[in-house]
Amino acid sequence: MKVEQRVQVKITGAPRPYSYAWWFDPLAGEGPLMVGDRVELPPNQVQEDGSSGEVVAVGTSYKGELKSIVRKIEDAYERDDYRAQEADIWAGFGQGDYA
């Protein structure tokens, strides 16, 4: 059972994020993408060999047909910069003028 997830991907050097589809099968142990995941993108008119990017949003307002992401390169939670950001999410909680 394949499920379509629509995400927005930031491609290095691109002026804005682009929308792509991610197809996964939860029964086969596959999962959805999350913000921060790095993905391989299919070829297009400008990049004949394809490219890569980072998921910057889950969901899109675009309703048309989408190209599909080739594969997930790296989970966000596997990256050191993401783990450091996640570990610091509650830093300073309960402190300050309004605590």
Side-chain angles (χ1 to χ4, degrees), residues 1-78:
M1 171 182 90
K2 290 279 188 175
V3 176
E4 180 191 35
Q5 178 187 32
R6 291 175 166 234
V7 298
Q8 294 178 48
V9 177
K10 175 68 175 149
I11 303 167
T12 302
R16 63 177 176 80
Y18 289 88
S19 298
Y20 285 89
W22 170 246
W23 292 91
F24 65 98
D25 185 351
L27 299 177
E30 299 169 348
L33 294 174
M34 59 186 257
V35 172
D37 286 347
R38 291 188 178 142
V39 294
E40 180 182 341
L41 303 172
N44 58 42
Q45 300 90 330
V46 178
Q47 297 162 320
E48 295 176 354
D49 295 328
S51 62
S52 63
E54 183 175 327
V55 176
V56 294
V58 174
T60 179
S61 59
Y62 183 75
K63 303 295 182 204
E65 187 175 331
L66 297 174
K67 287 192 173 194
S68 295
I69 291 170
V70 176
R71 68 183 176 97
K72 186 188 317 184
I73 297 171
E74 182 179 38
D75 289 327
Y77 65 84
E78 291 176 348

Side-chain angles (χ1 to χ4, degrees), residues 38 74-86:
R38 291 188 178 142
E74 182 179 38
D75 289 327
Y77 65 84
E78 291 176 348
R79 295 192 349 241
D80 290 337
D81 60 331
Y82 182 84
R83 284 197 308 266
Q85 177 185 8
E86 185 179 65

